[in-house]
Amino acid sequence: MRYIPLLSLISSTLAAHNTIELPKPTRELEWKDVNFLSTSDVHGWLLGHQHATWPEPNYSGDFGSLASFATHMRRIASDKGVDLLLVDAGDHHDGSGLVSSSADASSKAEDIFSMLPYDIITIGNHELYHYEDALEEYRNRGRWNGRYVTSNVNITIKAEDGTFQSVPLGERFLKFETEQGRKVTAFGVIFDFKAHARGISIQGTSKLIKEAWFLDAIKDKPDYFVLAGHMPARGETGEFLPMFDAIRQVHPKVPIYVFGGHTHVRDCVQYDDRSIAVVPGRYLETVAFTSSSLPSTDENAPLDVSRRYIDGNPVSYKWHTKTSDDDFELPIGQNISLALLRLSAALNISTPLGIAPHDYFLNRHPYGHPRSILTAFSDKVLPYTIQDKERNGTRVIIGNAGSLRFDLFQGRFDRNDELTVSPFTSAFLYVRLAAGLARNITEQMNRSGASKFIPSQPTTKLEEEDRVRRIFDDYMAEQWEDYLIQGGNDHLYDQESNQMVLEHGKIPKKPRTMGFVTKDRCPGKGDDIEHYPVPFVGNQPDFIETPFPDVDDEEIIDVVSMDFALDDFLAAVNVLDPTIGLKEKHMKPYAEGLEINVVFGMYAKEMWQKGL
Ligand SMILES: [Zn+2]
Ligand SMILES: [Zn+2]
């Protein structure tokens, strides 16, 4: 009996996607001797992106459709007599409701992830913030069939004899032969970050290359090396080069293929003409296809390499595998899709809580605009939901804009959407202050700016998150700025009229859909589909406040802060009036028991019931 609602859910999900016409690719993939599909930073987005607002439909493929695609690609590779390897660079935890809605959700999601056999897979920082998460990965590393490789990560475990031992979390390195009989030596690494849990140790790659086991592992000459790493191919936290150089010292000519992640952007760079390093982006939005010739008789000739960022949707998957609605879906994909829907039903994350009347964007409008999610947060959601029954005094609530992580889209709004938009737990605290002082706190907090406190070497999860966000925002901002400089039409970013244009079939001339416009360092075009970029308005405030009560400056009011931003709050108050000496101990709980990650759902249940 359970199948009926699940299957009807599948068909309703597909129906929603089918109403949107996605553009088809126009260029065949460049298959060569060695080919890769790579993913990274999936962060639980295994159900794909389910909303109709652009650019979400570009990423509407779930992990089941990716599995069907990858399996067709393996068949094509086999028919052509070439290699196809599947690589993932970590960060499976933290993100959508599938991994964030309960303590054991991510473990179940990992089991489903591993239903698609990867050739090389490594760990991300989000698997290493909590010891229990890392231990779960360690204990269940068998689900990856010996392909979970963590060359520079150890975990301390209690051995059978009761002693504590530091052991490699996954495999130290991989040596295997492909179906075509080619020898591969592979490593999996993560950037050297400090915010991991106790019981985890990470060795910087510049130290790793001095280890006897590493020197031994690279001694024999394979047909090619693969470095999978939870780090970008270049820039901040990019730490592949020591390993690359160490291999080059022994094997000046052997191809090295590098697959990165962590910064959530699409990127590509070549360290030399016998290598390519590709980063595929995030959230199952992109599957990167990378290909390379192998060295010919002329040992010195550069390799012929290419990369393509494929938007993660069935239209692209079918086009590139020359399959149709009739033969695209394979049992592996169907099983994965069904397992995902079952998990999502068990976690109760897909029951609609309301119907959002509009899109609310993080970065497409300035704060103050009615379609900015920050405006909705400060002017509607917080005032409505954060009520302390014990207190009926006048109050202002100061919220942290950084607690909001994603756009909120028009239409169905469920727990999954809620966790996507606002994943963090943060309670509320208040202090009684004069309104005249309170009036200036948010402004003072913004003047100091949360982002300006980010140290060069983050030591907390939040600081690390902010670093990734800054890099990703820069990537998005650059695309939009370039578009405007080139005379791009800024009216296209009016989301509502744009959707109307599409509905009426009056599709703007090429490129006609919004999406990533990637500029990387590799030759030729990387994006599989040509898009115009997503609008980006920079300089958003770090802190926002609810509409200020209409009171005299002398009146004493409740000033409420999120505990998330407490340090910034205390600092701002003490700068504005050094005589107060406000400390954490002076703050009292407000609306006790309420956390920030449930307020959008509360609001939806009351205010967005129309159409449900
Ligand atoms: Zn990530
Ligand atoms: Zn990461």
Side-chain angles (χ1 to χ4, degrees):
M1 284 306 286
R2 284 198 64 193
Y3 286 95
I4 295 163
L6 285 172
L7 288 172
S8 65
L9 190 55
I10 294 179
S11 53
S12 69
T13 308
L14 291 177
H17 293 163
N18 285 345
T19 55
I20 297 151
E21 195 202 330
L22 284 162
K24 289 195 174 93
T26 52
R27 295 176 296 150
E28 302 271 350
L29 295 175
E30 298 168 57
W31 286 86
K32 303 183 197 296
D33 298 329
V34 184
N35 308 275
F36 299 89
L37 288 177
S38 68
T39 54
S40 188
D41 297 274
V42 172
H43 287 288
W45 285 76
L46 299 171
L47 289 164
H49 294 238
Q50 303 180 339
H51 287 283
T53 303
W54 292 97
E56 296 300 284
N58 295 333
Y59 325 124
S60 52
D62 73 348
F63 199 69
S65 62
L66 172 65
S68 292
F69 174 59
T71 308
H72 283 297
M73 291 288 279
R74 280 194 164 126
R75 171 183 49 79
I76 294 167
S78 192
D79 291 349
K80 289 179 185 288
V82 297
D83 287 346
L84 178 78
L85 300 185
L86 203 48
V87 183
D88 181 82
D91 264 7
H92 295 186
H93 286 218
D94 294 331
S96 90
L98 270 189
V99 291
S100 299
S101 59
S102 78
D104 61 349
S106 57
S107 170
K108 290 174 179 153
E110 279 295 73
D111 287 340
I112 299 176
F113 207 132
S114 66
M115 287 166 73
L116 174 61
Y118 271 79
D119 296 284
I120 301 158
I121 186 159
T122 192
I123 200 163
N125 49 311
H126 283 268
E127 283 81 76
L128 296 169
Y129 286 124
H130 300 289
Y131 179 78
E132 288 303 318
D133 288 350
L135 188 66
E136 194 277 336
E137 295 291 353
Y138 168 74
R139 285 192 175 139
N140 297 303
R141 63 197 184 285
R143 64 187 158 207
W144 305 105
N145 303 313
R147 299 304 180 96
Y148 200 68
V149 56
T150 60
S151 307
N152 66 342
V153 183
N154 267 33
I155 181 166
T156 302
I157 51 151
K158 199 172 183 181
E160 275 172 17
D161 62 3
T163 59
F164 287 92
Q165 295 178 0
S166 174
V167 296
L169 198 147
E171 308 299 321
R172 267 283 177 253
F173 61 90
L174 303 177
K175 289 199 182 202
F176 60 88
E177 242 180 55
T178 67
E179 212 180 274
Q180 306 299 326
R182 293 189 180 113
K183 290 194 189 71
V184 181
T185 299
F187 300 93
V189 286
I190 186 165
F191 71 106
D192 189 5
F193 77 112
K194 304 297 173 208
H196 56 76
R198 286 183 63 190
I200 302 297
S201 57
I202 294 170
Q203 187 179 42
T205 51
S206 54
K207 291 203 179 108
L208 173 146
I209 55 168
K210 298 190 178 114
E211 295 282 350
W213 71 261
F214 177 79
L215 294 167
D216 197 47
I218 62 170
K219 206 187 296 169
D220 289 342
K221 180 180 169 183
D223 289 296
Y224 52 91
F225 286 94
V226 179
L227 305 180
H230 193 74
M231 56 174 84
R234 57 186 167 133
E236 222 175 312
T237 71
E239 296 163 17
F240 283 116
L241 276 179
M243 296 178 81
F244 183 87
D245 292 341
I247 294 171
R248 274 287 169 263
Q249 281 196 353
V250 187
H251 303 288
K253 303 289 179 193
V254 177
I256 305 176
Y257 305 116
V258 179
F259 299 96
H262 181 60
T263 45
H264 295 185
V265 303
R266 292 174 169 182
D267 196 24
C268 178
V269 62
Q270 286 188 273
Y271 299 145
D272 64 11
D273 62 10
R274 311 179 72 76
S275 69
I276 185 167
V278 174
V279 180
R282 59 169 199 179
Y283 300 169
L284 222 58
E285 290 171 346
T286 310
V287 184
F289 176 82
T290 306
S291 57
S292 168
S293 61
L294 283 173
S296 56
T297 40
D298 175 8
E299 264 235 321
N300 292 316
L303 294 179
D304 175 22
V305 293
S306 80
R307 52 71 189 90
R308 191 82 63 83
Y309 307 106
I310 300 170
D311 287 345
N313 68 68
V315 172
S316 293
Y317 295 160
K318 282 175 207 163
W319 196 88
H320 285 304
T321 52
K322 299 189 169 58
T323 54
S324 68
D325 290 351
D326 302 329
D327 55 1
F328 171 69
E329 279 188 29
L330 297 174
I332 183 175
Q334 289 168 328
N335 288 340
I336 287 175
S337 297
L338 200 57
L340 288 169
L341 291 171
R342 282 203 181 120
L343 179 57
S344 137
L347 295 169
N348 197 21
I349 54 172
S350 38
T351 311
L353 304 171
I355 303 285
H358 306 285
D359 294 314
Y360 298 98
F361 297 112
L362 260 186
N363 289 111
R364 293 190 209 179
H365 303 292
Y367 178 49
H369 190 285
R371 299 290 172 260
S372 151
I373 192 165
L374 299 187
T375 316
F377 187 52
S378 69
D379 291 8
K380 296 195 162 135
V381 178
L382 285 178
Y384 184 80
T385 56
I386 308 302
Q387 306 279 354
D388 190 321
K389 290 192 185 69
E390 310 294 311
R391 310 193 56 75
N392 52 12
T394 345
R395 49 92 151 107
V396 63
I397 305 164
I398 299 171
N400 190 335
S403 70
L404 305 181
R405 309 305 277 198
F406 210 71
D407 297 329
L408 193 162
F409 299 111
Q410 183 171 24
R412 264 177 67 108
F413 180 83
D414 59 23
R415 175 76 177 139
N416 192 32
D417 297 311
E418 179 177 44
L419 284 166
T420 304
V421 170
S422 179
F424 300 112
T425 51
S426 180
F428 296 86
L429 301 162
Y430 82 98
V431 64
R432 305 271 294 157
L433 294 170
L437 171 72
R439 232 181 262 289
N440 299 315
I441 297 173
T442 308
E443 198 189 324
Q444 175 60 35
M445 287 169 79
N446 278 321
R447 213 173 294 142
S448 307
S451 54
K452 295 181 189 71
F453 287 140
I454 299 172
S456 57
Q457 180 59 270
T459 53
T460 68
K461 178 178 177 178
L462 207 60
E463 288 166 0
E464 200 57 69
E465 282 298 274
D466 280 338
R467 172 154 74 176
V468 171
R469 181 151 133 146
R470 174 169 48 76
I471 292 168
F472 185 78
D473 282 355
D474 287 349
Y475 166 72
M476 298 303 283
E478 193 190 1
Q479 294 175 37
W480 183 244
E481 282 157 17
D482 282 359
Y483 176 75
L484 293 182
I485 288 167
Q486 290 158 17
N489 200 342
D490 136 325
H491 80 265
L492 281 176
Y493 91 90
D494 181 345
Q495 194 69 30
E496 280 165 44
S497 63
N498 186 27
Q499 299 234 46
M500 238 155 52
V501 169
L502 288 168
E503 273 166 28
H504 295 151
K506 285 185 223 150
I507 292 159
K509 290 230 164 63
K510 265 184 85 175
R512 68 175 180 84
T513 53
M514 187 185 277
F516 293 119
V517 182
T518 308
K519 278 195 306 179
D520 59 18
R521 292 277 183 84
C522 289
K525 254 188 215 168
D527 292 323
D528 191 40
I529 303 267
E530 202 182 336
H531 295 291
Y532 60 86
V534 180
F536 189 93
V537 176
N539 290 322
Q540 302 276 357
D542 293 313
F543 303 98
I544 49 85
E545 67 180 26
T546 54
F548 204 84
D550 184 16
V551 289
D552 292 335
D553 280 0
E554 298 72 42
E555 195 167 324
I556 304 295
I557 63 168
D558 289 350
V559 184
V560 184
S561 165
M562 288 163 59
D563 67 10
F564 208 69
L566 193 60
D567 290 347
D568 306 82
F569 176 79
L570 298 175
V573 172
N574 291 326
V575 165
L576 290 171
D577 185 350
T579 65
I580 292 183
L582 189 65
K583 294 199 170 64
E584 191 174 344
K585 65 179 181 193
H586 301 128
M587 305 294 295
K588 299 191 187 105
Y590 193 86
E592 208 168 355
L594 200 57
E595 298 267 6
I596 196 70
N597 68 1
V598 299
V599 298
F600 278 91
M602 286 170 70
Y603 189 80
K605 276 191 217 160
E606 284 299 326
M607 310 300 274
W608 293 345
Q609 292 304 291
K610 203 175 150 197
L612 195 63

